Amino acid sequence: MQGFNNPAVLAASAAGLTSALLMLWAMRGLPLGSALLWLAPAPLFSVGLAFGPAGAALAGLVGALVVVFSSSMLGAVFYALLFAVPGWLLVALFLRPGGASVSGPLAALGLYPVVLLLALSLYFANDGGLEAVLRGAVEQATRRMGLILPEGMIDAVVRVKAAAVGFWLAVTAIGNAALAQGFLRRRGLNLAATPDLAEARMPGWYLALLLLAGGAFVVVGDAVTLSILLLLTLPFFLMGIGGVHKRVRGSGGRVWLLAGFYTLMLIFLQIMAPAMVGMGLYEQWARRAVPPPQT
């Protein structure tokens, strides 16, 4: 590299600064902060998809440094774990030397939150476990809002809270990556073509891991094992959504069909989510003639 005379360094520095400012805006409770927080990963994905994994890594490092000097070390840790590391990881898995592939990033969307969940479980092992910590957080939040929830409802929220955070992380990453890729593609700056989620296939070891997580939930049945199982189904959920997009592609009423589909998704999520996982599993085995990736 040629220091700040290098376009990649300039772009990465600007991207990291912009991403950090978006997070700091939200952390300080400024207007539209909650909305802007969702866009914090977009600059990281933009520089990564235009200049490669090294650009994403440098942007994430710059962003973390800006947060640590403008806020706190804890804020920088959250920034790194929620935005910088996933941004670099997904770009690195997508832009592999052998050619762009969406399978690796999708698998990471399931595995990365699981790794964070297991790390938190170990960290809070001496405080009654992660489930107890989540219960305390939910009870404290409801008290602050002046709500009195039945014990059964609190149990239900606690059991899926960690998985919901992982789902938010995945949706944020996918949305910002798509936004960045579209921006770069219109300007001819993208390094690889836009991938099709329906064409992804999970490797054999991932399927074995999913079965192992299912067995662990049957035996243990706590919030941690349930969240792990739900998080590991995320790639198939996204593959199912990709399958829906593939089937309406080219149809005259595509926009209306997709609008109706996402409306049903929002209203009947408890029904539609398992259906999408099922479609994703169908997409996995419907193309069983194609050898699955092994890395």
Side-chain angles (χ1 to χ4, degrees), residues 8 11-23 37-67 76 78-92 95 169 172-173 176-181 183-184 191:
S13 301
L17 177 61
T18 303
S19 176
L21 289 177
L22 289 173
M23 181 172 177
L37 182 65
W38 283 77
L39 297 175
L44 306 180
F45 282 111
S46 295
V47 72
L49 293 172
F51 293 98
L58 179 57
L61 177 61
V62 170
L65 290 174
V66 171
V67 173
F78 274 102
Y79 175 83
L81 292 178
L82 296 180
F83 303 136
V85 174
W88 166 80
L89 180 63
L90 296 180
V91 168
L95 299 175
L169 183 63
T172 302
N176 281 279
L179 182 66
Q181 177 74 356
F183 174 82
L184 295 171
L191 292 178

Side-chain angles (χ1 to χ4, degrees), residues 32-213:
L32 300 177
S34 298
L36 293 177
L37 182 65
W38 283 77
L39 297 175
L44 306 180
F45 282 111
S46 295
V47 72
L49 293 172
F51 293 98
L58 179 57
L61 177 61
V62 170
L65 290 174
V66 171
V67 173
V68 76
F69 286 116
S70 303
S71 176
S72 65
M73 179 61 71
L74 182 60
V77 170
F78 274 102
Y79 175 83
L81 292 178
L82 296 180
F83 303 136
V85 174
W88 166 80
L89 180 63
L90 296 180
V91 168
L93 291 173
F94 176 56
L95 299 175
R96 300 180 64 180
S101 171
V102 72
S103 299
L106 273 191
L109 287 176
L111 288 173
Y112 182 74
V114 168
V115 172
L116 294 182
L117 179 59
L118 292 175
L120 288 174
S121 299
L122 291 175
Y123 182 79
F124 290 114
N126 295 328
D127 297 322
L130 181 60
E131 187 168 354
V133 173
L134 291 175
R135 175 177 294 277
V138 172
E139 291 174 346
Q140 184 179 15
T142 54
R143 283 196 300 269
R144 287 181 176 178
M145 291 185 291
L147 300 176
I148 300 177
L149 298 180
E151 191 66 22
M153 185 175 293
I154 292 178
D155 289 338
V157 172
V158 169
R159 288 175 67 82
V160 299
K161 187 174 180 62
V165 173
F167 179 76
W168 172 84
L169 183 63
V171 169
T172 302
I174 287 284
N176 281 279
L179 182 66
Q181 177 74 356
F183 174 82
L184 295 171
R185 180 174 53 80
R186 288 190 294 272
R187 289 157 179 78
L189 299 174
N190 53 309
L191 292 178
T194 303
D196 187 347
L197 291 178
E199 297 302 318
R201 294 197 69 200
M202 294 299 99
W205 57 262
Y206 190 94
L207 300 174
L209 197 61
L210 181 61
L211 293 175
L212 183 62

